[in-house]
Amino acid sequence: MSDRDVEQAVLHGTRRYDRRQVHKITGIEDERARRLWRSMGFADVGEDDVVFTQGDVAAIRRLERLSSSGLVPVEVQEAVIRSMAQAMAGLATWQAELLYELSADRRDGPEDWPAELRGVLPVLESLQNHVWRRHLAAAAGRLLTLAPDEADLRTLVVGSADLVGFTRTARRLSPGQLTEMVDLFHGIAADVTADHRGRIVKTVGDAVLFVTDDPADAAALALDLVDRTTEAAALPELRTGMALGPTLTRFGDVYGEVVDAAARLCRHARPGRILVERSLATALDGDARFQLRPRRPLTERGFPRLPSWALRRPRARPGRAGGC
């Protein structure tokens, strides 16, 4: 079995065209087609390299129709494609690794790999399409509550959380143990974030970046995330920083001073603790579900002083002695 066998099983076609043939078939200028190809996350190829399948040609045509339709302006088209491709690349890598491991566990021979892919891909494709539509409906519903000029710059709570001492812990683990630990943390983060109407922007190894629309949801999310991580004995302690304010949302990511503030607060939080900045502390003030205690302002070279508050659950008051 070769990588070409796997490629054919996945793409339902063989490599048939070089760049000149793609230009002749589609009428799209070579440089334009090359930019679209690179936007999808694939390396540039030589002029005479027979690389493209019939599906690739059809995809390039569809991408060009996005521009001609006017729905996606030319100046942002490549950025849109690039963001989509990055998400798909991560998903595809994870799926391929999982399927390969499952195949190895069953002791299937390498020659069975293309046939297994043909069998499972329609199910995965259908499931991905449904999940994508569900998330698209939810995202569209959130945007309908905003004015058109507020779609990119929105008031959000941004949270940054990471496992303390992850690198040191990872050195002592086998690859299998490290995978289990990362999967456990990401699973907990996904469950808790969904429970509190939040959204995970991205996960990077031992860290997760999340957003919520509501300050109280963010506070409850962070507290539950710390508790769930503490309960999982296999995980190091978690530290978290959160900030509230105008946040630029672009192609599924978030940017701005609020994101930077959340990251700084996370870096300075002690293990098992949550730090928040002034705007979020003010929004939570008076909510009996949360307790806020002012901490020393954070100071870092090159950054302005950042006032901070420790967030935790209220401590139960001891009851009076005696009965009633």
Side-chain angles (χ1 to χ4, degrees):
M1 181 193 69
S2 68
D3 58 343
R4 292 291 182 90
D5 296 323
V6 174
E7 183 180 274
Q8 186 171 350
V10 174
L11 298 178
H12 303 300
T14 57
R15 302 183 181 194
R16 298 173 57 182
Y17 308 112
D18 59 28
R19 279 171 33 199
R20 285 175 295 189
Q21 290 170 312
V22 170
H23 168 62
K24 184 176 180 180
I25 294 169
T26 65
I28 301 172
E29 290 298 325
D30 181 59
E31 181 56 32
R32 172 68 177 158
R34 289 172 64 190
R35 288 203 307 271
L36 292 173
W37 182 251
R38 288 196 298 267
S39 296
M40 286 190 284
F42 304 115
D44 206 354
V45 297
E47 191 174 55
D48 298 320
D49 294 338
V50 178
V51 170
F52 304 99
T53 68
Q54 188 65 44
D56 293 324
V57 172
I60 291 172
R61 279 174 163 164
R62 292 190 196 103
L63 292 174
E64 192 64 9
R65 282 204 296 270
L66 280 176
S67 175
S68 60
S69 69
L71 292 175
V72 179
V74 175
E75 59 269 21
V76 300
Q77 186 185 48
E78 290 181 32
V80 170
I81 298 166
R82 189 162 50 248
S83 296
M84 180 174 62
Q86 288 171 355
M88 291 296 101
L91 178 63
T93 299
W94 171 81
Q95 288 173 337
E97 291 172 350
L98 176 64
L99 292 172
Y100 193 79
E101 289 173 5
L102 293 175
S103 176
D105 289 342
R106 293 196 303 271
R107 292 179 172 78
D108 295 338
E111 67 279 358
D112 297 322
W113 182 234
E116 291 204 353
L117 285 173
R118 289 191 188 96
V120 77
L121 282 180
V123 179
L124 282 176
E125 191 172 24
S126 175
L127 178 60
Q128 285 172 191
N129 188 52
H130 177 72
V131 173
W132 166 71
R133 287 181 178 274
R134 278 301 237 166
H135 279 291
L136 184 62
R142 290 192 296 269
L143 287 177
L144 286 174
T145 65
L146 303 173
D149 60 349
E150 296 176 331
D152 284 346
L153 192 64
R154 303 163 55 191
T155 299
L156 296 171
V157 179
V158 177
S160 177
D162 68 26
L163 297 172
V164 180
F166 176 82
T167 302
R168 184 173 61 254
T169 301
R171 292 197 198 103
R172 303 195 302 265
L173 301 177
S174 68
Q177 291 171 322
L178 180 59
T179 298
E180 289 179 4
M181 187 172 76
V182 171
D183 286 348
L184 175 60
F185 174 57
H186 288 178
I188 290 173
D191 288 346
V192 173
T193 302
D195 285 344
H196 294 287
R197 295 174 288 280
R199 300 175 296 284
I200 290 181
V201 177
K202 55 190 170 186
T203 56
V204 182
D206 64 324
V208 60
L209 185 71
F210 61 87
V211 297
T212 73
D213 299 303
D214 182 73
D217 284 341
L221 188 165
L223 289 165
D224 283 354
L225 187 55
V226 168
D227 289 347
R228 288 280 302 276
T229 305
T230 302
E231 291 167 4
L235 294 178
E237 288 188 280
L238 190 73
R239 60 185 176 190
T240 308
M242 295 194 298
L244 166 68
T247 306
L248 177 64
T249 62
R250 193 72 170 162
F251 303 123
D253 211 338
V254 289
Y255 307 89
E257 292 182 6
V258 174
V259 182
D260 294 337
R264 286 180 64 194
L265 290 160
C266 180
R267 286 196 300 270
H268 285 267
R270 289 161 49 198
R273 297 291 186 261
I274 303 164
L275 290 181
V276 305
E277 49 69 64
R278 187 191 304 276
S279 295
L280 184 52
T282 300
L284 297 172
D285 188 35
D287 192 322
R289 294 172 294 175
F290 313 115
Q291 184 177 84
L292 293 157
R293 178 168 294 181
R295 310 295 294 180
R296 183 177 302 173
L298 307 184
T299 56
E300 285 186 67
R301 190 178 223 175
F303 291 93
R305 285 162 59 90
L306 179 61
S308 65
W309 281 256
L311 169 69
R312 65 186 184 189
R313 301 186 193 278
R315 292 182 176 174
R317 295 181 180 179
R320 291 184 179 179
C324 56

